[in-house]
Amino acid sequence: MLRRTVPVLILIIVAVCTVARANISSSTNTLCLQLKHKIDQNSKKFIEREDFSPWVQFVKKPVGKDLEHDKLFKFLNSIYATVYFENNGDITIYKMPMAKPSIYMASLFQGSADCQYNVYIQKTRNNSIGYRQLLKPDGDTSPCWTVSGHLGTVLGHPAYIEYGNISDISDSIFTRITPWQSRGWGQVCSLGVHFTNKLYIAHYFCGTNSSLCRTTRSLAIAVATRFVDYEKSRENESDARRSRSGFYFNTRLPLPSYVDGIKYYKFPLFGYAGDPNAGWDYSIGEQSVVFSIKVDNKGYIGVIGYNGVGWRSGNDILFAIYSRKPALKNKLIPLASIAIYQKPESIKRIDMNVGRNAIDRYRE
């Protein structure tokens, strides 16, 4: 009788574990699937917002400096004496909504890429012990620059959430979700939404040649469209194959040799100083190209690139026209400049990934 019972018990245990695993998987996968359905049903508003709200909400207010805050720092110092958490003043602590016992995330941002390092703490049911450290959720990739991690809720379910753009110049946004189950982190999933963007002229600045300015403005969207396509086509090329003079518009006139020595091009504002963030909004970053262009049948130097500082790029396109003055040692003279913005016009596609694929796909 015992010999017959043992196999049956094993089958029951396996079945129970399978059902439990299926429940965890279905509950976590459903978050991304339900989120996708919400976007499908509300695509127009989603395009206008360009984010996942109101379905994905972040905890914005950190834990205040009270007794609980001090206890959390004391626990952090006892378990995590590393370079990342030595300076308590740089750490921000957030509390996960709806989780009992309470769960906290201590975050620190470091480096020029603003990389985020998190430690997770749970209050124990036994108050004499106080706290315990939790494992990181699978979806915590120590995000940098265009991506950040948050505690919050997805469709009302508590979760660790990463959100951002795949790259500086991406036409996509994504969220990576690791839900909190009653006893631990669930399975990670991700949702990436790819837009078809529309380019439009946001601002333009002009020198003394108003005719050239008008013609340049009429060319701006076509030039920017070519630039966006060019940047996408060379994303997978090696640095050795990339060329600052590899982008042309209208003509394949060779570039003057002296422009090779110019690393950064100043975006001309012609006296405009109304923007307090002009150092970012109106600076051409490293992702730029120089090309020869004909305007009104005359040859000029064109520069087009994404706004930014050094390697850090924004998503706005800056286009400027210059002439050269041989008498001034070939110095470039600015003539016109245009800021071109990108706005989502429609949803191209939505990608959903679960488990390992949800982590690998967007770690760019």
PDB file of all heavy atoms in Angstrom, residues 181-199:
ATOM      1  N   GLN A 181       5.193  39.674  -5.208  1.00  0.00           N
ATOM      2  CA  GLN A 181       4.195  38.721  -4.755  1.00  0.00           C
ATOM      3  C   GLN A 181       4.180  38.742  -3.229  1.00  0.00           C
ATOM      4  O   GLN A 181       4.962  39.452  -2.598  1.00  0.00           O
ATOM      5  CB  GLN A 181       4.538  37.322  -5.279  1.00  0.00           C
ATOM      6  CG  GLN A 181       4.752  37.248  -6.780  1.00  0.00           C
ATOM      7  CD  GLN A 181       3.494  37.552  -7.574  1.00  0.00           C
ATOM      8  OE1 GLN A 181       2.395  37.341  -7.109  1.00  0.00           O
ATOM      9  NE2 GLN A 181       3.675  38.071  -8.779  1.00  0.00           N
ATOM     10  N   SER A 182       3.342  37.983  -2.625  1.00  0.00           N
ATOM     11  CA  SER A 182       3.223  38.034  -1.164  1.00  0.00           C
ATOM     12  C   SER A 182       4.488  37.565  -0.464  1.00  0.00           C
ATOM     13  O   SER A 182       4.777  37.971   0.659  1.00  0.00           O
ATOM     14  CB  SER A 182       2.034  37.174  -0.715  1.00  0.00           C
ATOM     15  OG  SER A 182       2.208  35.828  -1.135  1.00  0.00           O
ATOM     16  N   ARG A 183       5.301  36.719  -1.132  1.00  0.00           N
ATOM     17  CA  ARG A 183       6.499  36.177  -0.479  1.00  0.00           C
ATOM     18  C   ARG A 183       7.788  36.435  -1.259  1.00  0.00           C
ATOM     19  O   ARG A 183       8.825  35.876  -0.920  1.00  0.00           O
ATOM     20  CB  ARG A 183       6.333  34.670  -0.244  1.00  0.00           C
ATOM     21  CG  ARG A 183       5.205  34.330   0.701  1.00  0.00           C
ATOM     22  CD  ARG A 183       5.138  32.844   0.971  1.00  0.00           C
ATOM     23  NE  ARG A 183       4.058  32.520   1.871  1.00  0.00           N
ATOM     24  CZ  ARG A 183       4.122  32.577   3.199  1.00  0.00           C
ATOM     25  NH1 ARG A 183       5.250  32.964   3.781  1.00  0.00           N
ATOM     26  NH2 ARG A 183       3.091  32.247   3.944  1.00  0.00           N
ATOM     27  N   GLY A 184       7.733  37.213  -2.282  1.00  0.00           N
ATOM     28  CA  GLY A 184       8.960  37.471  -3.032  1.00  0.00           C
ATOM     29  C   GLY A 184       8.678  38.119  -4.376  1.00  0.00           C
ATOM     30  O   GLY A 184       7.519  38.380  -4.739  1.00  0.00           O
ATOM     31  N   TRP A 185       9.753  38.349  -5.117  1.00  0.00           N
ATOM     32  CA  TRP A 185       9.627  38.961  -6.433  1.00  0.00           C
ATOM     33  C   TRP A 185       9.068  37.955  -7.439  1.00  0.00           C
ATOM     34  O   TRP A 185       9.452  36.786  -7.435  1.00  0.00           O
ATOM     35  CB  TRP A 185      10.981  39.458  -6.926  1.00  0.00           C
ATOM     36  CG  TRP A 185      11.602  40.516  -6.072  1.00  0.00           C
ATOM     37  CD1 TRP A 185      12.682  40.383  -5.258  1.00  0.00           C
ATOM     38  CD2 TRP A 185      11.166  41.864  -5.940  1.00  0.00           C
ATOM     39  NE1 TRP A 185      12.959  41.566  -4.623  1.00  0.00           N
ATOM     40  CE2 TRP A 185      12.033  42.512  -5.028  1.00  0.00           C
ATOM     41  CE3 TRP A 185      10.122  42.612  -6.506  1.00  0.00           C
ATOM     42  CZ2 TRP A 185      11.901  43.847  -4.669  1.00  0.00           C
ATOM     43  CZ3 TRP A 185       9.986  43.950  -6.148  1.00  0.00           C
ATOM     44  CH2 TRP A 185      10.860  44.545  -5.239  1.00  0.00           C
ATOM     45  N   GLY A 186       8.192  38.421  -8.298  1.00  0.00           N
ATOM     46  CA  GLY A 186       7.655  37.583  -9.358  1.00  0.00           C
ATOM     47  C   GLY A 186       8.541  37.621 -10.587  1.00  0.00           C
ATOM     48  O   GLY A 186       9.657  38.146 -10.573  1.00  0.00           O
ATOM     49  N   GLN A 187       8.032  37.089 -11.669  1.00  0.00           N
ATOM     50  CA  GLN A 187       8.788  37.014 -12.913  1.00  0.00           C
ATOM     51  C   GLN A 187       8.753  38.357 -13.637  1.00  0.00           C
ATOM     52  O   GLN A 187       7.717  39.005 -13.744  1.00  0.00           O
ATOM     53  CB  GLN A 187       8.221  35.930 -13.817  1.00  0.00           C
ATOM     54  CG  GLN A 187       9.082  35.641 -15.053  1.00  0.00           C
ATOM     55  CD  GLN A 187       8.507  34.519 -15.884  1.00  0.00           C
ATOM     56  OE1 GLN A 187       7.294  34.446 -16.070  1.00  0.00           O
ATOM     57  NE2 GLN A 187       9.359  33.649 -16.395  1.00  0.00           N
ATOM     58  N   VAL A 188       9.917  38.767 -14.152  1.00  0.00           N
ATOM     59  CA  VAL A 188      10.038  40.049 -14.828  1.00  0.00           C
ATOM     60  C   VAL A 188       9.425  39.979 -16.231  1.00  0.00           C
ATOM     61  O   VAL A 188       9.470  38.937 -16.893  1.00  0.00           O
ATOM     62  CB  VAL A 188      11.528  40.481 -14.900  1.00  0.00           C
ATOM     63  CG1 VAL A 188      12.345  39.468 -15.659  1.00  0.00           C
ATOM     64  CG2 VAL A 188      11.670  41.855 -15.546  1.00  0.00           C
ATOM     65  N   CYS A 189       8.834  41.087 -16.661  1.00  0.00           N
ATOM     66  CA  CYS A 189       8.363  41.208 -18.033  1.00  0.00           C
ATOM     67  C   CYS A 189       8.633  42.634 -18.505  1.00  0.00           C
ATOM     68  O   CYS A 189       8.913  43.530 -17.697  1.00  0.00           O
ATOM     69  CB  CYS A 189       6.875  40.868 -18.156  1.00  0.00           C
ATOM     70  SG  CYS A 189       5.762  42.019 -17.302  1.00  0.00           S
ATOM     71  N   SER A 190       8.599  42.848 -19.789  1.00  0.00           N
ATOM     72  CA  SER A 190       8.850  44.195 -20.319  1.00  0.00           C
ATOM     73  C   SER A 190       7.925  44.477 -21.486  1.00  0.00           C
ATOM     74  O   SER A 190       7.455  43.566 -22.170  1.00  0.00           O
ATOM     75  CB  SER A 190      10.314  44.347 -20.761  1.00  0.00           C
ATOM     76  OG  SER A 190      10.571  43.575 -21.918  1.00  0.00           O
ATOM     77  N   LEU A 191       7.687  45.761 -21.677  1.00  0.00           N
ATOM     78  CA  LEU A 191       6.838  46.219 -22.766  1.00  0.00           C
ATOM     79  C   LEU A 191       7.542  47.382 -23.443  1.00  0.00           C
ATOM     80  O   LEU A 191       7.891  48.373 -22.793  1.00  0.00           O
ATOM     81  CB  LEU A 191       5.483  46.669 -22.212  1.00  0.00           C
ATOM     82  CG  LEU A 191       4.280  46.624 -23.159  1.00  0.00           C
ATOM     83  CD1 LEU A 191       3.983  45.173 -23.549  1.00  0.00           C
ATOM     84  CD2 LEU A 191       3.058  47.229 -22.477  1.00  0.00           C
ATOM     85  N   GLY A 192       7.791  47.263 -24.732  1.00  0.00           N
ATOM     86  CA  GLY A 192       8.419  48.334 -25.500  1.00  0.00           C
ATOM     87  C   GLY A 192       7.469  48.849 -26.552  1.00  0.00           C
ATOM     88  O   GLY A 192       6.908  48.072 -27.333  1.00  0.00           O
ATOM     89  N   VAL A 193       7.282  50.155 -26.581  1.00  0.00           N
ATOM     90  CA  VAL A 193       6.378  50.773 -27.545  1.00  0.00           C
ATOM     91  C   VAL A 193       7.209  51.586 -28.532  1.00  0.00           C
ATOM     92  O   VAL A 193       7.953  52.490 -28.136  1.00  0.00           O
ATOM     93  CB  VAL A 193       5.342  51.684 -26.863  1.00  0.00           C
ATOM     94  CG1 VAL A 193       4.383  52.263 -27.901  1.00  0.00           C
ATOM     95  CG2 VAL A 193       4.578  50.905 -25.800  1.00  0.00           C
ATOM     96  N   HIS A 194       7.093  51.278 -29.807  1.00  0.00           N
ATOM     97  CA  HIS A 194       7.872  51.925 -30.863  1.00  0.00           C
ATOM     98  C   HIS A 194       6.956  52.874 -31.630  1.00  0.00           C
ATOM     99  O   HIS A 194       5.906  52.464 -32.122  1.00  0.00           O
ATOM    100  CB  HIS A 194       8.472  50.887 -31.809  1.00  0.00           C
ATOM    101  CG  HIS A 194       9.335  49.883 -31.115  1.00  0.00           C
ATOM    102  ND1 HIS A 194      10.709  49.954 -31.103  1.00  0.00           N
ATOM    103  CD2 HIS A 194       9.007  48.789 -30.376  1.00  0.00           C
ATOM    104  CE1 HIS A 194      11.196  48.955 -30.408  1.00  0.00           C
ATOM    105  NE2 HIS A 194      10.187  48.229 -29.955  1.00  0.00           N
ATOM    106  N   PHE A 195       7.383  54.128 -31.716  1.00  0.00           N
ATOM    107  CA  PHE A 195       6.571  55.155 -32.362  1.00  0.00           C
ATOM    108  C   PHE A 195       7.048  55.432 -33.785  1.00  0.00           C
ATOM    109  O   PHE A 195       8.210  55.225 -34.126  1.00  0.00           O
ATOM    110  CB  PHE A 195       6.652  56.477 -31.584  1.00  0.00           C
ATOM    111  CG  PHE A 195       6.075  56.417 -30.200  1.00  0.00           C
ATOM    112  CD1 PHE A 195       6.906  56.454 -29.087  1.00  0.00           C
ATOM    113  CD2 PHE A 195       4.711  56.337 -30.001  1.00  0.00           C
ATOM    114  CE1 PHE A 195       6.384  56.410 -27.814  1.00  0.00           C
ATOM    115  CE2 PHE A 195       4.173  56.300 -28.722  1.00  0.00           C
ATOM    116  CZ  PHE A 195       5.020  56.331 -27.621  1.00  0.00           C
ATOM    117  N   THR A 196       6.122  55.937 -34.586  1.00  0.00           N
ATOM    118  CA  THR A 196       6.478  56.629 -35.822  1.00  0.00           C
ATOM    119  C   THR A 196       6.405  58.111 -35.515  1.00  0.00           C
ATOM    120  O   THR A 196       5.344  58.622 -35.123  1.00  0.00           O
ATOM    121  CB  THR A 196       5.506  56.283 -36.955  1.00  0.00           C
ATOM    122  OG1 THR A 196       5.578  54.885 -37.229  1.00  0.00           O
ATOM    123  CG2 THR A 196       5.856  57.057 -38.217  1.00  0.00           C
ATOM    124  N   ASN A 197       7.542  58.800 -35.637  1.00  0.00           N
ATOM    125  CA  ASN A 197       7.611  60.198 -35.231  1.00  0.00           C
ATOM    126  C   ASN A 197       7.342  61.148 -36.396  1.00  0.00           C
ATOM    127  O   ASN A 197       7.626  60.841 -37.546  1.00  0.00           O
ATOM    128  CB  ASN A 197       8.995  60.512 -34.650  1.00  0.00           C
ATOM    129  CG  ASN A 197       9.168  59.916 -33.266  1.00  0.00           C
ATOM    130  OD1 ASN A 197       8.189  59.700 -32.554  1.00  0.00           O
ATOM    131  ND2 ASN A 197      10.401  59.660 -32.880  1.00  0.00           N
ATOM    132  N   LYS A 198       6.834  62.310 -36.048  1.00  0.00           N
ATOM    133  CA  LYS A 198       6.677  63.401 -36.997  1.00  0.00           C
ATOM    134  C   LYS A 198       7.652  64.503 -36.607  1.00  0.00           C
ATOM    135  O   LYS A 198       7.774  64.855 -35.431  1.00  0.00           O
ATOM    136  CB  LYS A 198       5.246  63.941 -36.964  1.00  0.00           C
ATOM    137  CG  LYS A 198       4.999  65.083 -37.939  1.00  0.00           C
ATOM    138  CD  LYS A 198       3.553  65.559 -37.868  1.00  0.00           C
ATOM    139  CE  LYS A 198       3.312  66.703 -38.856  1.00  0.00           C
ATOM    140  NZ  LYS A 198       1.901  67.169 -38.821  1.00  0.00           N
ATOM    141  N   LEU A 199       8.379  65.026 -37.583  1.00  0.00           N
ATOM    142  CA  LEU A 199       9.324  66.107 -37.331  1.00  0.00           C
ATOM    143  C   LEU A 199       8.650  67.450 -37.579  1.00  0.00           C
ATOM    144  O   LEU A 199       7.882  67.594 -38.533  1.00  0.00           O
ATOM    145  CB  LEU A 199      10.544  65.973 -38.242  1.00  0.00           C
ATOM    146  CG  LEU A 199      11.339  64.661 -38.143  1.00  0.00           C
ATOM    147  CD1 LEU A 199      12.496  64.679 -39.136  1.00  0.00           C
ATOM    148  CD2 LEU A 199      11.855  64.441 -36.743  1.00  0.00           C
TER     149      LEU A 199
END
